PDB file of all heavy atoms in Angstrom:
ATOM      1  N   LEU R 653     -42.988 -19.334  31.315  1.00 95.00           N
ATOM      2  CA  LEU R 653     -42.807 -20.002  30.030  1.00 95.00           C
ATOM      3  C   LEU R 653     -41.520 -20.584  29.754  1.00 95.00           C
ATOM      4  O   LEU R 653     -41.494 -21.744  29.328  1.00 95.00           O
ATOM      5  CB  LEU R 653     -43.269 -18.895  28.932  1.00 95.00           C
ATOM      6  CG  LEU R 653     -43.301 -19.524  27.453  1.00 95.00           C
ATOM      7  CD1 LEU R 653     -44.380 -20.624  27.309  1.00 95.00           C
ATOM      8  CD2 LEU R 653     -43.656 -18.371  26.431  1.00 95.00           C
ATOM      9  N   LEU R 654     -40.422 -19.841  30.206  1.00 95.00           N
ATOM     10  CA  LEU R 654     -39.127 -20.555  29.951  1.00 95.00           C
ATOM     11  C   LEU R 654     -38.884 -21.637  30.857  1.00 95.00           C
ATOM     12  O   LEU R 654     -38.277 -22.737  30.366  1.00 95.00           O
ATOM     13  CB  LEU R 654     -38.084 -19.330  30.305  1.00 95.00           C
ATOM     14  CG  LEU R 654     -36.636 -19.824  30.329  1.00 95.00           C
ATOM     15  CD1 LEU R 654     -36.231 -20.205  28.815  1.00 95.00           C
ATOM     16  CD2 LEU R 654     -35.688 -18.748  30.860  1.00 95.00           C
ATOM     17  N   VAL R 655     -39.426 -21.633  32.089  1.00 96.00           N
ATOM     18  CA  VAL R 655     -39.394 -22.868  32.971  1.00 96.00           C
ATOM     19  C   VAL R 655     -40.049 -23.993  32.358  1.00 96.00           C
ATOM     20  O   VAL R 655     -39.499 -25.215  32.273  1.00 96.00           O
ATOM     21  CB  VAL R 655     -39.811 -22.464  34.434  1.00 96.00           C
ATOM     22  CG1 VAL R 655     -40.021 -23.818  35.201  1.00 96.00           C
ATOM     23  CG2 VAL R 655     -38.919 -21.611  35.040  1.00 96.00           C
ATOM     24  N   GLN R 656     -41.171 -23.790  31.751  1.00 96.00           N
ATOM     25  CA  GLN R 656     -41.910 -24.862  31.090  1.00 96.00           C
ATOM     26  C   GLN R 656     -41.032 -25.543  29.825  1.00 96.00           C
ATOM     27  O   GLN R 656     -41.015 -26.710  29.747  1.00 96.00           O
ATOM     28  CB  GLN R 656     -43.337 -24.326  30.624  1.00 96.00           C
ATOM     29  CG  GLN R 656     -44.203 -24.044  31.659  1.00 96.00           C
ATOM     30  CD  GLN R 656     -45.532 -23.391  31.185  1.00 96.00           C
ATOM     31  OE1 GLN R 656     -45.701 -23.212  30.057  1.00 96.00           O
ATOM     32  NE2 GLN R 656     -46.413 -23.168  32.167  1.00 96.00           N
ATOM     33  N   LYS R 657     -40.547 -24.654  29.109  1.00 95.00           N
ATOM     34  CA  LYS R 657     -39.665 -25.133  27.864  1.00 95.00           C
ATOM     35  C   LYS R 657     -38.433 -25.920  28.475  1.00 95.00           C
ATOM     36  O   LYS R 657     -38.123 -26.874  27.737  1.00 95.00           O
ATOM     37  CB  LYS R 657     -39.326 -24.125  27.027  1.00 95.00           C
ATOM     38  CG  LYS R 657     -40.574 -23.356  26.447  1.00 95.00           C
ATOM     39  CD  LYS R 657     -41.455 -24.302  25.575  1.00 95.00           C
ATOM     40  CE  LYS R 657     -42.615 -23.634  25.069  1.00 95.00           C
ATOM     41  NZ  LYS R 657     -43.461 -24.489  24.306  1.00 95.00           N
ATOM     42  N   LEU R 658     -37.825 -25.528  29.563  1.00 96.00           N
ATOM     43  CA  LEU R 658     -36.617 -26.248  30.036  1.00 96.00           C
ATOM     44  C   LEU R 658     -37.166 -27.550  30.490  1.00 96.00           C
ATOM     45  O   LEU R 658     -36.420 -28.541  30.327  1.00 96.00           O
ATOM     46  CB  LEU R 658     -35.946 -25.300  31.104  1.00 96.00           C
ATOM     47  CG  LEU R 658     -35.310 -23.948  30.676  1.00 96.00           C
ATOM     48  CD1 LEU R 658     -34.803 -23.289  31.924  1.00 96.00           C
ATOM     49  CD2 LEU R 658     -34.113 -24.262  29.634  1.00 96.00           C
ATOM     50  N   GLU R 659     -38.065 -27.618  31.337  1.00 95.00           N
ATOM     51  CA  GLU R 659     -38.602 -28.996  31.762  1.00 95.00           C
ATOM     52  C   GLU R 659     -39.023 -29.979  30.739  1.00 95.00           C
ATOM     53  O   GLU R 659     -38.671 -31.020  30.801  1.00 95.00           O
ATOM     54  CB  GLU R 659     -39.739 -28.754  32.710  1.00 95.00           C
ATOM     55  CG  GLU R 659     -39.317 -28.099  34.054  1.00 95.00           C
ATOM     56  CD  GLU R 659     -40.491 -27.848  34.931  1.00 95.00           C
ATOM     57  OE1 GLU R 659     -41.673 -27.846  34.468  1.00 95.00           O
ATOM     58  OE2 GLU R 659     -40.322 -27.629  36.217  1.00 95.00           O
ATOM     59  N   ALA R 660     -39.735 -29.334  29.681  1.00 95.00           N
ATOM     60  CA  ALA R 660     -39.992 -30.185  28.505  1.00 95.00           C
ATOM     61  C   ALA R 660     -38.884 -30.708  27.725  1.00 95.00           C
ATOM     62  O   ALA R 660     -38.884 -31.970  27.312  1.00 95.00           O
ATOM     63  CB  ALA R 660     -40.963 -29.335  27.582  1.00 95.00           C
ATOM     64  N   ASN R 661     -37.898 -29.895  27.621  1.00 94.00           N
ATOM     65  CA  ASN R 661     -36.652 -30.296  26.881  1.00 94.00           C
ATOM     66  C   ASN R 661     -35.884 -31.340  27.634  1.00 94.00           C
ATOM     67  O   ASN R 661     -35.363 -32.337  27.151  1.00 94.00           O
ATOM     68  CB  ASN R 661     -35.791 -29.145  26.550  1.00 94.00           C
ATOM     69  CG  ASN R 661     -34.827 -29.372  25.388  1.00 94.00           C
ATOM     70  OD1 ASN R 661     -35.243 -29.212  24.224  1.00 94.00           O
ATOM     71  ND2 ASN R 661     -33.611 -29.773  25.699  1.00 94.00           N
ATOM     72  N   ALA R 662     -35.785 -31.131  28.917  1.00 95.00           N
ATOM     73  CA  ALA R 662     -35.254 -32.153  29.822  1.00 95.00           C
ATOM     74  C   ALA R 662     -35.834 -33.488  29.827  1.00 95.00           C
ATOM     75  O   ALA R 662     -35.262 -34.602  29.675  1.00 95.00           O
ATOM     76  CB  ALA R 662     -35.181 -31.579  31.315  1.00 95.00           C
ATOM     77  N   LYS R 663     -37.172 -33.463  29.719  1.00 95.00           N
ATOM     78  CA  LYS R 663     -37.936 -34.738  29.615  1.00 95.00           C
ATOM     79  C   LYS R 663     -37.714 -35.357  28.225  1.00 95.00           C
ATOM     80  O   LYS R 663     -37.473 -36.647  28.187  1.00 95.00           O
ATOM     81  CB  LYS R 663     -39.421 -34.393  29.806  1.00 95.00           C
ATOM     82  CG  LYS R 663     -40.251 -35.680  29.891  1.00 95.00           C
ATOM     83  CD  LYS R 663     -41.809 -35.324  30.065  1.00 95.00           C
ATOM     84  CE  LYS R 663     -42.687 -36.652  30.185  1.00 95.00           C
ATOM     85  NZ  LYS R 663     -44.115 -36.221  30.406  1.00 95.00           N
ATOM     86  N   PHE R 664     -37.607 -34.608  27.181  1.00 94.00           N
ATOM     87  CA  PHE R 664     -37.304 -35.043  25.837  1.00 94.00           C
ATOM     88  C   PHE R 664     -35.973 -35.836  25.833  1.00 94.00           C
ATOM     89  O   PHE R 664     -35.861 -36.868  25.239  1.00 94.00           O
ATOM     90  CB  PHE R 664     -37.341 -33.910  24.877  1.00 94.00           C
ATOM     91  CG  PHE R 664     -36.886 -34.287  23.447  1.00 94.00           C
ATOM     92  CD1 PHE R 664     -37.523 -34.960  22.637  1.00 94.00           C
ATOM     93  CD2 PHE R 664     -35.662 -33.797  23.116  1.00 94.00           C
ATOM     94  CE1 PHE R 664     -37.156 -35.343  21.383  1.00 94.00           C
ATOM     95  CE2 PHE R 664     -35.118 -34.142  21.859  1.00 94.00           C
ATOM     96  CZ  PHE R 664     -35.859 -34.827  21.007  1.00 94.00           C
TER      97      PHE R 664
END
Side-chain angles (χ1 to χ4, degrees):
L653 183 59
L654 179 61
V655 168
Q656 292 176 357
K657 297 301 179 182
L658 291 177
E659 290 178 341
N661 201 85
K663 186 177 180 181
F664 168 78

